[in-house]
Amino acid sequence: MPARERLPALNTDTPPQADPVAGAALAADVPTALSLLREGELTVHGRLTDASNAALYCSISADGRSAQAVYKPVAGERPLWDFPDGTLAGREVAAYEVAAATGWALIPPTVLRDGPHGPGMVQLWVEPDPGADPLLALQDPAGPEAGWLPIVRADVGGGRTALLVHPDDRRLRRLAVLDAVLNNADRKGGHLIAAADGRIYGIDHGVTFNTEGKLRTLLWGWAGEPLPAEALEVLADLAGQLDGALGERLAPHLTAAELAAARARIAELRGTGRHPLPSEEWPAIPWPPI
């Protein structure tokens, strides 16, 4: 029986509701958020049932401050054929460290710590803003409307198709660059959070940093286009940081080969100066896409 099925029974109380505004404000206050995540007391309220690995919805509190968080214990990770067992939590933390180093604030504050079910990843919960503009849409298959970029044609039933699109949005474009660096194998639509302060966050980065190319994403709207100047500047800075303090922070979570592959991806992006194209050797769209 997989380890994730051996987790103790979860609480059955009514979980506290996350406040979109308060969560976004705390996510922007990174030092405070990281301190709370590292030192706060975790109370598990339930399992997120749509997650493939054990993902537990929690409250976290310390020194009169409280927030919501997601806790993914290593004990609940499902074995994967292409990633070493017990490494997904560390990869989530490594992804956060790289995102933080870009200065783009694209992943909520994330730490690796002990919890009620053993060591795991703990990430600040950022509730989506219900009033935010959509990040994905289905449009007429003849072509996207102005301001939207095509991803793929989708079967909507009854023999009908529609075009799945995402906005031509600077925030999403930054995330597409980050995913190329991380070699993110699972950028689904449900892994995009539009926060109440106008930021967009990406979540679920356990399947990243593989040494083989595995980029699977819905953010293909800029495929083959020149990278923006700001992206090239960030990539140059990342290359330097990986040879210094950033590389040291990533070393506990990644192998030497995985770090070398990350450096190689950055070098390739800088060399081509373009967003990557979908591979012809593996599916370019994650499944399910949403």
Side-chain angles (χ1 to χ4, degrees):
M1 181 179 295
R4 64 192 183 113
E5 297 301 328
R6 297 199 297 268
L7 289 175
L10 303 178
N11 296 354
T12 58
D13 61 340
T14 302
Q17 294 298 307
D19 182 339
V21 175
L26 184 56
D29 184 358
V30 174
T32 300
L34 289 175
S35 176
L36 180 61
L37 292 172
R38 292 184 180 122
E39 302 170 11
E41 180 180 359
L42 275 174
T43 301
V44 176
H45 298 286
R47 182 177 295 181
L48 304 176
T49 56
D50 58 349
S52 56
N53 297 289
L56 310 179
Y57 181 73
C58 305
S59 58
I60 187 166
S61 58
D63 300 326
R65 182 183 291 272
S66 63
Q68 279 65 55
V70 60
Y71 161 47
K72 298 182 182 180
V74 174
E77 292 182 7
R78 181 179 63 179
L80 299 173
W81 69 269
D82 51 351
F83 286 85
D85 291 352
T87 66
L88 304 190
R91 293 174 194 278
E92 294 238 34
V93 175
Y96 168 71
E97 291 286 357
V98 173
T102 66
W104 285 339
L106 294 171
I107 298 177
T110 308
V111 302
L112 188 69
R113 57 163 284 179
D114 199 19
H117 305 308
M121 182 280 288
V122 179
Q123 184 176 84
L124 186 71
W125 181 279
V126 178
E127 186 73 10
D129 179 5
D133 292 334
L135 301 179
L136 293 170
L138 290 171
Q139 294 186 2
D140 190 298
E145 299 173 7
W148 294 85
L149 299 174
I151 306 170
V152 67
R153 293 182 186 275
D155 182 358
V156 294
R160 298 172 300 156
T161 62
L163 193 63
L164 185 61
V165 297
H166 67 70
D168 186 3
D169 188 295
R170 181 187 184 191
R171 300 166 298 174
L172 288 179
R173 191 166 192 173
R174 288 174 168 178
L175 195 55
V177 175
L178 176 65
D179 281 343
V181 171
L182 301 180
N183 195 18
N184 191 353
D186 197 32
R187 175 60 72 209
K188 295 184 173 77
H191 298 168
L192 301 172
I193 304 296
D197 62 355
R199 300 189 188 201
I200 291 177
Y201 290 102
I203 60 171
D204 286 337
H205 297 93
V207 286
T208 50
F209 294 105
N210 202 294
T211 55
E212 299 181 6
K214 290 183 177 290
L215 183 60
R216 288 192 291 268
T217 178
L218 291 181
L219 302 179
W220 286 118
W222 304 279
E225 291 189 9
L227 290 164
E230 69 157 0
L232 292 171
E233 293 175 3
V234 164
L235 290 169
D237 186 55
L238 273 182
Q241 292 191 62
L242 276 173
D243 290 329
L246 177 59
E248 293 175 2
R249 293 197 299 274
L250 299 184
H253 309 299
L254 305 174
T255 67
E258 288 166 342
L259 282 170
R263 292 187 180 93
R265 288 191 297 273
I266 292 172
E268 182 176 3
L269 287 167
R270 296 178 65 196
T272 65
R274 294 182 178 274
H275 287 270
L277 293 167
S279 172
E280 298 180 355
E281 299 178 1
W282 64 86
I285 302 294
W287 187 263
I290 305 300

